[in-house]
Amino acid sequence: MSAFSNMVANDINNVFMNLDEFGEKHIVDGNEITIILDEDAYRKANSGIEMAVGEVSTMIYGKVADLPKRKGYGAGLTVDGREYSVNTWDEDMGMATISLFVAINV
């Protein structure tokens, strides 16, 4: 592993996923892992607008190694007992950024 890769891995483990910093324990597809759950990030990324009426969106960030196998659009992902559908799932340098949505009856 290169020096840069070691620095990134160190930051992921000791800063971003650190329970004393940003990370929180959540149950994802039946396994307790450390992730960052951000219910405001999706709205911020879309200039404050939800994309559909009757839809709740959220984003999670986590270590690729801790998460289940990468899922495509529309696939189910359960977070803390709530079933979401995957909108996007991006992976970069050992971290995954996953936008999720759940349709609600209005």
Side-chain angles (χ1 to χ4, degrees):
M1 207 185 276
S2 71
F4 179 72
S5 296
N6 285 333
M7 288 181 350
V8 170
N10 186 53
D11 284 347
I12 289 171
N13 292 320
N14 297 317
V15 179
F16 301 116
M17 294 294 111
N18 183 326
L19 293 173
D20 292 329
E21 298 291 337
F22 302 108
E24 299 175 328
K25 292 288 186 182
H26 291 273
I27 307 296
V28 178
D29 276 359
N31 296 310
E32 184 179 61
I33 62 171
T34 302
I35 62 170
I36 299 166
L37 185 97
D38 189 346
E39 295 175 330
D40 293 325
Y42 191 83
R43 199 171 359 265
K44 289 175 191 171
N46 290 292
S47 302
I49 301 169
E50 285 287 345
M51 298 306 287
V53 174
E55 182 177 289
V56 174
S57 303
T58 192
M59 294 189 74
I60 65 171
Y61 307 91
K63 292 194 300 188
V64 170
D66 292 346
L67 290 161
K69 184 178 175 186
R70 186 178 187 159
K71 299 181 180 196
Y73 177 80
L77 186 73
T78 304
V79 180
D80 296 332
R82 185 170 197 180
E83 181 71 21
Y84 290 91
S85 296
V86 173
N87 186 29
T88 61
W89 186 308
D90 298 309
E91 297 177 358
D92 189 26
M93 300 184 75
M95 288 290 294
T97 302
I98 307 166
S99 67
L100 302 169
F101 67 93
V102 61
I104 55 174
N105 295 325
V106 290

